[in-house]
């Protein structure tokens, strides 16, 4: 069975660190990222088998529900999510650029997964609340129609969580713009 991905996002650093400990002690999972993000929130992104991720998620949510901002479990995350988290997706021949901004990191990753599974696009970057006062964004590229479909699906996913902030689609972005954002 493939890897699952889970994330919890907390209001306080101390709660986030405690949650990371509970996540690791509950089931056999691996922490991908556990860190402070703006404005002093704490995220724990972890992976493992689906049952382990679900068990760890439930334990963290149950114990620390008072400080929980957002969370998710993805049973079969799109393979492009991982390189985009680290901003390591190589880009060639860009036809369109899609950007989606959310109020939480968890909502943005769920939206990115939906976008990647909707049409043939490449996730470029998933910026998880770093330097953005707690907001997060994703950037993706592909043919114009594919980017439009992916952004619409991502907007729906983030909107259903009440976390959608804004989005844009740029057909044929200028080369200087492209160079400045990568």
């Amino acid at each position: 069975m493939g890897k699952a991905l889970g994330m919890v996002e907390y209001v306080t650093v101390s709660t986030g660190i405690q949650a990371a400990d509970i996540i690791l002690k509950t089931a056999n999972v691996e922490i991908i990222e556990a860190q402070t993000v703006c404005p002093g929130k704490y995220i724990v992104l972890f992976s493992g088998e689906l049952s382990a991720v679900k068990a760890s998620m439930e334990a963290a949510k149950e114990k620390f529900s008072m400080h929980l901002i957002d969370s998710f479990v993805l049973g079969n995350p799109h393979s492009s999510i991982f390189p985009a988290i680290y901003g390591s997706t190589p880009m060639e021949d860009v036809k369109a650029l899609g950007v989606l901004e959310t109020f939480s990191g968890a909502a943005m990753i769920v939206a990115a997964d939906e976008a990647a599974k909707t049409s043939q696009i490449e996730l470029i970057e998933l910026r998880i609340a770093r330097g953005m006062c707690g907001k997060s964004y994703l950037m993706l590229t592909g043919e114009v129609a594919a980017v439009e479909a992916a952004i619409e699906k991502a907007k729906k996913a983030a909107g259903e969580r009440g976390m959608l902030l804004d989005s844009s689609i740029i057909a044929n972005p200028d080369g200087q713009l492209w160079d400045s954002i990568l």
Side-chain angles (χ1 to χ4, degrees):
M1 179 170 250
K3 290 246 179 187
L5 185 64
M7 182 174 154
V8 287
E9 188 170 350
Y10 288 101
V11 173
T12 67
V13 173
S14 61
T15 298
I17 292 170
Q18 287 179 330
D21 185 58
I22 293 289
I23 286 166
L24 289 169
K25 288 177 177 174
T26 299
N28 184 20
V29 296
E30 177 184 340
I31 289 184
I32 297 170
E33 282 189 26
Q35 65 182 344
T36 304
V37 295
C38 296
K41 300 186 309 181
Y42 201 86
I43 62 167
V44 183
L45 184 64
F46 57 102
S47 67
E49 295 300 320
L50 182 58
S51 60
V53 170
K54 282 182 175 180
S56 289
M57 174 67 70
E58 287 309 311
K61 285 173 66 175
E62 182 179 313
K63 178 102 172 147
F64 304 109
S65 63
M66 295 289 291
H67 291 124
L68 184 68
I69 295 170
D70 203 357
S71 65
F72 71 81
V73 171
L74 295 174
N76 187 20
H78 194 274
S79 61
S80 64
I81 294 250
F82 297 100
I85 287 172
Y86 300 109
S88 63
T89 305
M91 292 293 101
E92 299 173 14
D93 192 31
V94 176
K95 304 287 187 205
L97 172 65
V99 181
L100 182 99
E101 191 172 352
T102 63
F103 288 109
S104 80
M108 184 270 305
I109 293 174
V110 169
D113 186 59
E114 290 287 331
K117 290 176 178 174
T118 296
S119 57
Q120 286 194 309
I121 54 94
E122 290 291 328
L123 293 172
I124 301 166
E125 181 180 6
L126 305 181
R127 176 72 57 99
I128 307 171
R130 285 182 221 108
M132 299 202 26
C133 295
K135 299 183 297 181
S136 296
Y137 71 87
L138 65 84
M139 291 192 301
L140 55 84
T141 188
E143 296 290 332
V144 175
V147 168
E148 288 172 344
I151 290 293
E152 281 307 309
K153 187 71 169 188
K155 284 170 54 177
K156 182 177 180 191
E160 287 173 351
R161 301 168 75 88
M163 294 289 177
L164 177 64
L165 181 59
D166 199 10
S167 68
S168 63
I169 299 169
I170 302 170
N172 300 313
D174 186 276
Q176 285 183 321
L177 171 66
W178 194 250
D179 292 342
S180 71
I181 62 174
L182 289 181

